Amino acid sequence: MMKRTQAPELNLIDRLDINNFKKTSLSNGVEVYYVNSAEEDLIRIELRFRAGRWYEPKHAISRAVCNLMRKGTSTKTAKQIADIIEFYGAHLDVQSGQDYTSMMLFCLSKHLDKIMPVAEEILLDAAFPQDEMDLFVQKQKQKLRINAQNTDFHANRKFNVVLFGANHPYGYHVDESTYDAISNDQLMVFHKKHYSPGDATIFMAGNITAETLQLIEKHFGTHHPNGKIIAATDKSIYTDSTHKHFIDKDDSVQSSVRIGTISIPKTHPDFAELNVLNTAFGGYFGSRLMTNIREDKGYTYGIYSSITHYVHSSYFSVETEVGNEVCASAITEIYKEMDALKSTPIDEEELTIIKNYMMGGLLRATDGPYNRINVVKNMVMSNLTTSYFDGLVHAVKTVSAERLMELANQYFDYETMQEVVCGKK
């Protein structure tokens, strides 16, 4: 009989089981990765394209195309497309990103043959009607005006600029004139160049049958790729030489704080162990930052650190919102926690908690077909192999407190840190 007063025995994993996905190719060479789960009738299909900010000839083109490509073709209006999707209980979304964009389709298996032609038509025949463009521009401007009231909006924009530069794809920000300068012709050209089904990488999860694969071949396997896509403009990173930046917002009651620096990619030999250090510092609810600045000092509801990865760069950041009157003290405590990790090894009890937390996170990330295909997608789009995850598990299990202190001294480098605050002085 189960003893409910006694904690179950703890068993740490040796490796992540993510090899149970399949890979195939369509006639045009498009790679298809899928995780089959016959238990559910739902299918998720995602087509990824090299059409993010990195490939833009002009600012905001990528986002505009993603928002407008579902808003009409030469034969269907936006309402007709939406009505078809709704009638079959499906969901179709197009999302923009820094490097890639994605068309995501959810539907029941039995309706896939009705939805796939619509998805194909959007990819091949998006018309970008002028009235929909006008509505999009109007909404984006309104969103900018609303966001401008918030300190985190200004802090995030400034942080990206000082890390990467005002014209870098990862750094630039838009204003109302950016949207005014976009034309229908520019969207049509970008869409035609970047959204051929022949240039997609496809990820699927759910009830994947032979009929599903035949439908994928029928609608996405016959289109020729556009060829090698090259980002033509200068993509050099220009990190600001000034390290402290303040944006005065006199009517604010809180300050948004962003501290960080350009970091190492996932492929760097130190990355897996640095991830453990980040978790200890600010990567989970029991972290040093959360324990000190939220639980002990009461300066904030939440404070986190993270390492964000794009294809062409990565960055480390600390993010929080605090009251104006305690902003300076909160920043002082952030640097104190960095200093503590540089000077004193993490004790064994804390390190064990962090390792157990990270192992649980890795297991949760691969639990179920939809989570697993996300892991596969991130692996493929980052040019990694399954051995990368074995390295993650090994690093979490074996990294020592002394090694983490060594990494803290190497990567918590104040000479490279950018500090951005938006609030009231």
Side-chain angles (χ1 to χ4, degrees), residues 261-279:
T261 181
I262 299 294
S263 188
I264 57 177
K266 289 180 179 178
T267 52
H268 192 285
D270 291 345
F271 168 71
E273 293 176 329
L274 183 61
N275 210 22
V276 181
L277 175 68
N278 175 66
T279 302

Side-chain angles (χ1 to χ4, degrees), residues 149-183:
Q149 306 303 313
N150 303 322
T151 56
D152 61 339
F153 172 74
H154 295 287
N156 289 335
R157 283 161 64 106
K158 184 67 175 178
F159 187 62
N160 291 333
V161 168
V162 300
L163 275 188
F164 296 104
N167 289 314
H168 191 277
Y170 302 157
Y172 81 80
H173 59 75
V174 299
D175 54 29
E176 294 191 20
S177 64
T178 309
Y179 292 111
D180 285 331
I182 296 174
S183 72

Side-chain angles (χ1 to χ4, degrees), residues 163-164 170 237 261-267 271 306-317:
L163 275 188
F164 296 104
Y170 302 157
I237 292 175
T261 181
I262 299 294
S263 188
I264 57 177
K266 289 180 179 178
T267 52
F271 168 71
S306 59
I307 305 172
T308 302
H309 298 281
Y310 302 135
V311 171
H312 304 280
S313 190
S314 304
Y315 68 91
F316 162 80
S317 64

